Amino acid sequence: MERVTLLAGGVGGARLAHGLDLALRPSFDEPTPGTNPAGPRHPESGQAASSRHPLTVVVNVGDDTELHGLWVSPDIDTVLYTLAGLNDEERGWGLRGESYATLEQMARLGEDTWFTLGDRDLATHIVRTARLRSGTPLSEVTAQVARSLGVRPTIVPVTDDPLATMVDTPSGRLGFQEYFVGHQHADEVLALHFEGAEVARPAPGVIDALRDAELVLLAPSNPFLSIDPVLVVPGVREALTGTAARRIAVSPIVGGAAIKGPAAQILESLGHEVSALGVARLYTGLVDLMCIDERDVHLADPIADLGFEVMVTDTIMGSPQGRERLARELLGNPA
Amino acid sequence: MERVTLLAGGVGGARLAHGLDLALRPSFDEPTPGTNPAGPRHPESGQAASSRHPLTVVVNVGDDTELHGLWVSPDIDTVLYTLAGLNDEERGWGLRGESYATLEQMARLGEDTWFTLGDRDLATHIVRTARLRSGTPLSEVTAQVARSLGVRPTIVPVTDDPLATMVDTPSGRLGFQEYFVGHQHADEVLALHFEGAEVARPAPGVIDALRDAELVLLAPSNPFLSIDPVLVVPGVREALTGTAARRIAVSPIVGGAAIKGPAAQILESLGHEVSALGVARLYTGLVDLMCIDERDVHLADPIADLGFEVMVTDTIMGSPQGRERLARELLGNPA
């Protein structure tokens, strides 16, 4: 497959991106016999077309926040760290073998350190913040960090413009990280707002990645907190509904519960059924195929009745092998 | 002694500040019999006058620089860390037992990490930068960090305004840290410029600290790189020449060499004698007494001939005991 685009939030998006990277690596590493290495170049990157990785990951930035004057892009970092093999698989965020000397000292200096930032993770935030302040857009900084970490798929924030997910709860409107980390997503979610969305412009390459892809995937990420803030950027939803690509969504709800995070609570509090069927209803008109877990096989028919093709498989991506296997099935190229 | 003011650069200033803190601590800790703890309050701080530490350290900011988007104030930090008992005595800068996880990761992300920044040291720079950007002046940030670290003397930057020491060398004009750390102060110094000095205003309390002191000390810091950029702030030199305080300078040159740093080379390349006598000539009219090391006893008469009182003692402040002993002698209160 030449061009695959994944819309992703944090952990679920990162794991599927990892699986796709593993599944697509052989075809990327070995030039197709007969191709000319001095041949056509990709119009955007100027790189030889054959050296461009087939996978583009379009990442949510609604969770981004400023902490201690540093710009933190949690979903981008989870994708980058996972693809670089650096992430802490057990916790699901941050870097493996991380230390916390800087944060401990910041606490001593009177900072409120409710958001855990490791020493090596801080390097990303310091570098990102410095480059953003010097005028480099987030998409370019992300590409630079990806190159430095040896990440080969194209990782692109959905927008370089400000876009902030705000969560209305019974105790008022919270910034996303205040809701998610500060309150440990315990509040009932009454509504979600994406501040800045109306005037945000898709980052360079985002629309092309949807329009020119052969396959577009919606990661098993939170539909409200990860996928929606990608789709609200003007032009993105239209590019998804208008693309000629085959479109597949992987359900983040398995057996009536979220694999990780507050997706189940949010589905429920916003009046949706907490199931792969409830997710499918949200994605009507956006994707052609719903990929659901084998534990939800009884939902295959009701989902098909909504007009979807349905794929039933093991969607839990614990190990790299599990991620690659799922990716191969989604690519139509099972091992 | 009720009010002592020290003009200081980095290591020499920090060590003398430490000695003064140790020497003044007993009188600060134990209220004078008969004083009323609910008595008069200091007009500036609103604190009970008796709770105000007698020492104010006015610190050079000409060495300050931005690195990776973070504001670094090396002399302020050396003073703070030394008074907090946190500094690395062997290296003379940074924190003892420091780790470098963040800097190593920043190097991996393509940053030029020629300036060594430890993990805990970075906490200071992150916190300072965030607070400066939110509009808090450097003097207030410095006071906050001092309080957090348990530093009790008043530590104040000479100015809250931009003031940058620039070094003219045969290969062109260099920023101070580029000259000092980047080139390891190997270039010949043709001239020094203090960018921003003409319009810089003394930070709150600086002029009062000179005017109202009983004793003003010039630390054994580099006369050109540490003391001059303090004196060039409009009003500071005048406050020093006009104060009723007794004024003492401690020579940073001992036995014809600098205790630390490039003071000797700079004296020479700017056409001055590399000796305590050469330093005394620079301080004519600024101080009443020159304190020189016993190794320079032969310079006592020539310095006296310039119109100075002369104190000859052991000025090397290796241990805390040595620092306290020198401080007591300068306070006129030898143990």
Side-chain angles (χ1 to χ4, degrees):
Chain A
M1 185 121 7
E2 284 300 323
R3 298 206 73 180
V4 178
T5 296
L6 173 68
L7 306 189
V11 176
R15 291 185 176 174
L16 185 51
H18 188 202
L20 290 162
D21 188 23
L22 293 170
L24 293 164
R25 190 160 287 195
S27 67
F28 176 61
D29 286 339
E30 296 154 29
T32 314
T35 56
N36 179 0
R41 289 176 178 270
H42 189 273
E44 268 179 70
S45 67
Q47 295 179 300
S50 62
S51 77
R52 188 185 174 86
H53 194 282
L55 177 62
T56 297
V57 187
V58 177
V59 187
N60 170 40
V61 295
D63 305 4
D64 290 18
T65 192
E66 189 173 306
L67 293 163
H68 317 289
L70 301 175
W71 194 249
V72 179
S73 297
D75 283 357
I76 290 175
D77 290 345
T78 297
V79 171
L80 289 173
Y81 297 162
T82 301
L83 291 180
L86 298 172
N87 66 310
D88 189 316
E89 292 281 343
E90 277 187 41
R91 288 191 312 197
W93 53 270
L95 292 154
R96 202 170 53 242
E98 185 62 287
S99 54
Y100 299 91
T102 304
L103 198 75
E104 283 164 19
Q105 187 68 11
M106 286 168 72
R108 183 168 177 186
L109 296 179
E111 293 289 295
D112 187 358
T113 55
W114 57 279
F115 193 102
T116 303
L117 296 166
D119 293 328
R120 285 187 296 149
D121 190 30
L122 272 165
T124 308
H125 311 318
I126 292 169
V127 166
R128 172 185 292 125
T129 304
R131 295 180 188 175
L132 287 174
R133 284 196 199 278
S134 75
T136 309
L138 181 62
S139 54
E140 176 54 26
V141 176
T142 303
Q144 291 169 353
V145 173
R147 272 196 298 274
S148 295
L149 295 179
V151 171
R152 297 184 308 171
T154 301
I155 314 299
V156 60
V158 64
T159 180
D160 285 328
D161 296 324
L163 192 165
T165 299
M166 305 298 292
V167 185
D168 281 348
T169 73
S171 50
R173 183 168 288 192
L174 304 176
F176 176 77
Q177 295 301 345
E178 198 182 354
Y179 156 76
F180 192 77
V181 180
H183 292 216
Q184 298 187 23
H185 53 75
D187 298 82
E188 187 187 357
V189 173
L190 303 176
L192 292 158
H193 299 274
F194 305 112
E195 278 185 12
E198 300 76 16
V199 292
R201 293 155 299 175
V206 167
I207 299 300
D208 286 352
L210 288 164
R211 202 177 45 201
D212 302 344
E214 293 165 70
L215 175 65
V216 174
L217 292 157
L218 272 57
S221 298
N222 189 307
F224 300 102
L225 295 175
S226 300
I227 302 298
D228 243 22
V230 168
L231 298 179
V232 291
V233 173
V236 173
R237 183 182 294 269
E238 295 71 16
L240 177 62
T241 54
T243 184
R246 183 167 168 77
R247 301 164 306 174
I248 302 179
V250 181
S251 173
I253 301 289
V254 171
I259 297 167
K260 196 169 187 315
Q265 297 124 269
I266 296 177
L267 274 163
E268 187 166 22
S269 65
L270 295 180
H272 301 283
E273 184 179 316
V274 183
S275 73
L277 177 60
V279 174
R281 287 195 184 111
L282 294 171
Y283 287 159
T284 303
L286 290 177
V287 301
D288 308 302
L289 184 148
M290 282 298 300
C291 173
I292 65 174
D293 194 76
E294 49 203 14
R295 271 168 281 186
D296 295 320
V297 63
H298 59 285
L299 297 172
D301 283 347
I303 291 172
D305 289 345
L306 295 172
F308 292 98
E309 301 170 56
V310 181
M311 175 191 293
V312 181
T313 186
D314 174 5
T315 64
I316 307 297
M317 297 180 285
S319 66
Q321 293 72 25
R323 294 168 195 182
E324 182 175 353
R325 180 199 43 72
L326 178 61
R328 287 190 178 283
E329 292 182 41
L330 294 167
L331 292 166
N333 180 28
Chain B
M1 187 120 7
E2 285 300 324
R3 298 206 72 177
V4 179
T5 297
L6 173 68
L7 306 189
V11 176
R15 291 184 177 176
L16 185 50
H18 187 203
L20 291 163
D21 188 23
L22 293 170
L24 293 165
R25 189 160 290 193
S27 68
F28 176 59
D29 286 340
E30 296 155 28
T32 315
T35 56
N36 178 1
R41 288 176 178 270
H42 189 272
E44 268 180 70
S45 68
Q47 294 179 300
S50 62
S51 77
R52 189 184 173 87
H53 194 283
L55 177 62
T56 298
V57 187
V58 177
V59 187
N60 170 42
V61 295
D63 305 5
D64 290 18
T65 191
E66 189 172 307
L67 294 162
H68 316 289
L70 301 175
W71 194 251
V72 179
S73 297
D75 283 356
I76 290 175
D77 289 347
T78 296
V79 172
L80 289 173
Y81 296 162
T82 300
L83 291 179
L86 298 172
N87 67 309
D88 190 315
E89 291 281 343
E90 277 187 41
R91 286 190 312 194
W93 53 271
L95 292 154
R96 203 170 51 242
E98 187 61 289
S99 54
Y100 299 92
T102 304
L103 198 75
E104 283 165 18
Q105 186 69 10
M106 285 167 71
R108 183 168 176 186
L109 296 178
E111 293 289 294
D112 187 357
T113 55
W114 59 278
F115 193 101
T116 302
L117 296 167
D119 293 328
R120 285 188 297 150
D121 190 31
L122 272 166
T124 308
H125 311 319
I126 292 170
V127 166
R128 172 184 292 124
T129 305
R131 295 180 188 176
L132 287 174
R133 283 196 198 279
S134 75
T136 309
L138 181 62
S139 54
E140 175 55 26
V141 176
T142 303
Q144 290 169 355
V145 173
R147 272 196 298 276
S148 296
L149 296 179
V151 171
R152 296 185 309 171
T154 301
I155 314 300
V156 59
V158 64
T159 180
D160 285 328
D161 296 324
L163 192 165
T165 299
M166 304 297 293
V167 185
D168 281 349
T169 73
S171 50
R173 183 167 288 192
L174 304 176
F176 175 77
Q177 295 301 345
E178 198 182 355
Y179 156 77
F180 193 77
V181 179
H183 292 217
Q184 299 186 23
H185 52 77
D187 299 82
E188 187 187 357
V189 173
L190 304 176
L192 292 158
H193 299 274
F194 305 112
E195 278 185 11
E198 300 76 15
V199 292
R201 293 155 300 176
V206 166
I207 298 300
D208 286 352
L210 288 165
R211 201 177 45 199
D212 302 344
E214 293 166 71
L215 176 65
V216 175
L217 292 158
L218 272 58
S221 298
N222 189 308
F224 301 103
L225 295 176
S226 299
I227 303 297
D228 243 21
V230 168
L231 297 178
V232 291
V233 174
V236 173
R237 183 182 294 270
E238 295 72 16
L240 177 63
T241 54
T243 185
R246 184 168 167 76
R247 301 163 306 174
I248 302 178
V250 182
S251 173
I253 301 288
V254 171
I259 298 167
K260 197 169 189 310
Q265 297 124 269
I266 296 176
L267 273 163
E268 187 166 23
S269 65
L270 295 180
H272 302 281
E273 184 180 315
V274 183
S275 73
L277 177 60
V279 174
R281 287 196 184 110
L282 295 171
Y283 287 159
T284 303
L286 289 177
V287 300
D288 309 302
L289 186 148
M290 282 298 302
C291 173
I292 65 172
D293 193 76
E294 48 203 15
R295 270 169 282 186
D296 295 321
V297 64
H298 60 285
L299 297 173
D301 284 345
I303 291 173
D305 290 345
L306 295 173
F308 292 98
E309 299 170 57
V310 180
M311 176 190 292
V312 181
T313 187
D314 175 5
T315 64
I316 307 298
M317 297 180 285
S319 66
Q321 292 73 25
R323 293 168 196 184
E324 183 175 353
R325 181 199 43 72
L326 178 60
R328 287 189 179 283
E329 292 182 40
L330 295 167
L331 293 167
N333 181 29

